[in-house]
Amino acid sequence: MPNNTNNQIKRVFLGFSLDSAQTRTITAIQAQLPSSVRLVPSANLHMTLAFLGGATPEQLTALIDNVNQLSKPKFSVTLDTLSHWAKPKILCLRGRADDRRLVQLADDTQQLAAELGLHCSEHHYNPHITLSRKAKAEVNGIDYQPLTLAPTKLQLFESCPGANGVEYPTLYSWKLGAL
């Protein structure tokens, strides 16, 4: 007899959406990338805070309840370096997690993930926006300006198959507090 609980498991992550101007900035960078890479669709552009992997309905409920209790301060981060990450084969625009409020939020969400038995990153938090997948090498000669993000809300996204590839619907969102 098949186990139906796998149908209820959702692949989820916490992150931050881009506004329309930020999306235009990123798509202008993407337009300069080689055709050999698979661009992330503009509707999927975001900055991940924590990839959490597969979550049961119980884990999702506990996650939402616990994030409700977390301090969620406003922060800003500047993404200013185009990078190729060989292992996941991505090109991304990345920055440094210099804002202590962002670092604390990233640390808190990783601790929460560990407590709930969800995926935990083996790396220190590295703020970035994935531009493309299936990238085999660095790309040079791309004209771009640094992008500063100051999100107003934290979102819980689901990663699920859609008609035209992966889609990231928002399952829940939280307003970020005052600076």
Side-chain angles (χ1 to χ4, degrees), residues 53-165:
T56 64
E58 296 77 18
Q59 286 171 312
L60 279 176
T61 299
L63 176 66
I64 291 166
D65 289 346
N66 280 277
V67 173
N68 283 339
Q69 305 306 314
L70 285 183
S71 173
K72 295 172 288 296
K74 287 186 178 178
F75 64 87
S76 68
V77 60
T78 299
L79 307 178
D80 58 4
T81 306
L82 193 60
S83 293
H84 173 253
W85 290 351
K87 187 173 180 187
K89 293 183 182 170
I90 65 168
L91 289 171
C92 63
L93 186 64
R94 69 173 175 83
R96 292 175 30 151
D98 290 332
D99 190 319
R100 63 177 170 69
R101 296 164 295 195
L102 174 57
V103 173
Q104 188 63 55
L105 187 56
D107 290 348
D108 289 349
T109 56
Q110 286 300 306
Q111 181 178 343
L112 183 54
E115 290 170 6
L116 297 175
L118 297 168
H119 177 270
C120 296
S121 177
E122 63 272 17
H123 305 288
H124 288 290
Y125 181 64
N126 196 342
H128 69 281
I129 297 170
T130 301
L131 306 174
S132 70
R133 302 191 182 284
K134 300 197 180 203
K136 294 183 169 93
E138 288 281 347
V139 175
N140 295 310
I142 305 296
D143 181 32
Y144 66 95
Q145 295 295 315
L147 178 64
T148 298
L149 302 180
T152 58
K153 62 184 175 179
L154 171 63
Q155 292 163 273
L156 175 63
F157 295 98
E158 179 181 6
S159 175
C160 56
N164 299 309

Side-chain angles (χ1 to χ4, degrees), residues 24-49:
R24 283 191 301 276
T25 298
I26 295 298
T27 57
I29 296 169
Q30 288 178 312
Q32 301 174 68
L33 298 177
S35 60
S36 60
V37 300
R38 191 175 80 214
L39 299 180
V40 172
S42 61
N44 286 356
L45 293 170
H46 66 277
M47 185 177 80
T48 301
L49 179 66

